[in-house]
Amino acid sequence: MEFLNIVILGLVSFLVLFILSRIMGYRAISELSFFDYVVAITIGSIAAEMSTNIDMEWWKGVTAMVIYALLDIIFTVISQKSTAARLIITGSPIVLIYQGKIYKRNLRKARIELNDLLTSARTAGYFNISDVNYAIMETTGNISFMPVPLKRPLNPKDFNFAPENEGLSVNVIMDGKIMEDDLADAGIDRSELINRVKSQEKDIKNIFLGVMDSNGVLTLFDK
C-alpha cells in the first residue's frame, strides 16, 4: 500500500510539474534570472518532497507548487509592464569593464572576483583581458563581452560585400519518411520530391534526412 501511494504521488507531482513548466515558459536555465531560478528550484523541491513523503496530503504539495508558479507569472507580467518594477524584480545589467577599464566597485556589486571575470573572459575566447573593450554582467548572471575594434571578428561589411539573404531550410525527409506537412513550406510536391531523390540514384527508404534550402537545393543524408 505504501509503495502504491508513492507511485501515485510521484505521478501526480510529475504531471503538475510538467504542466507548470509548460505554463511558465520555455526559457533555458542560462536565460533565467536568479529569482526565476530560485522559484524553479523551490517548485522542484516541493515536487520531490511530495512524491516521497506519504504523510503529506497531495493537495497541499500541489497547492504550494501552483502558488509559486502563479506568483512567478504575476511578477513576470508586472516586470513586463513596468520598467521600475523590472529593476526591482530582475535587477539591471552591471558594467564590469568600460572602454578597457575594469571597475572594481562594480565587481563587488556583482559579487564576483577578478579571477571569475578572467575565467569568463577566457571562456568567451578572450585570453588577454586587454582585448576586451566592454564587459557587462546581465541579469541572468552571464557576462557579455565586446572586444576592442582591432580584435573583433571580420564581417562581410568590412569588405563591402552583401551576402544573399538565406531563408530557413525545411526537413522534407526524416528517417525514410516524407514529411507531408512540410512539403508546402519547401515549395515542392510529393511527386517532384520523389523524382529528385531518384535523380540522385537514392531510395527514400534509405534516406536518414533530406533537407531543402530556400534556394531549392535538396541535400540528402543516407542512413
Side-chain angles (χ1 to χ4, degrees), residues 174-187:
M174 293 186 68
D175 200 15
K177 296 181 181 179
I178 297 177
M179 300 291 99
E180 304 286 353
D181 296 336
D182 297 328
L183 292 180
D185 295 331

Side-chain angles (χ1 to χ4, degrees), residues 146-160:
M146 176 183 288
V148 295
L150 291 178
K151 294 295 182 177
R152 69 175 178 83
L154 294 175
N155 59 65
K157 187 177 180 180
D158 296 322
F159 303 96
N160 294 321

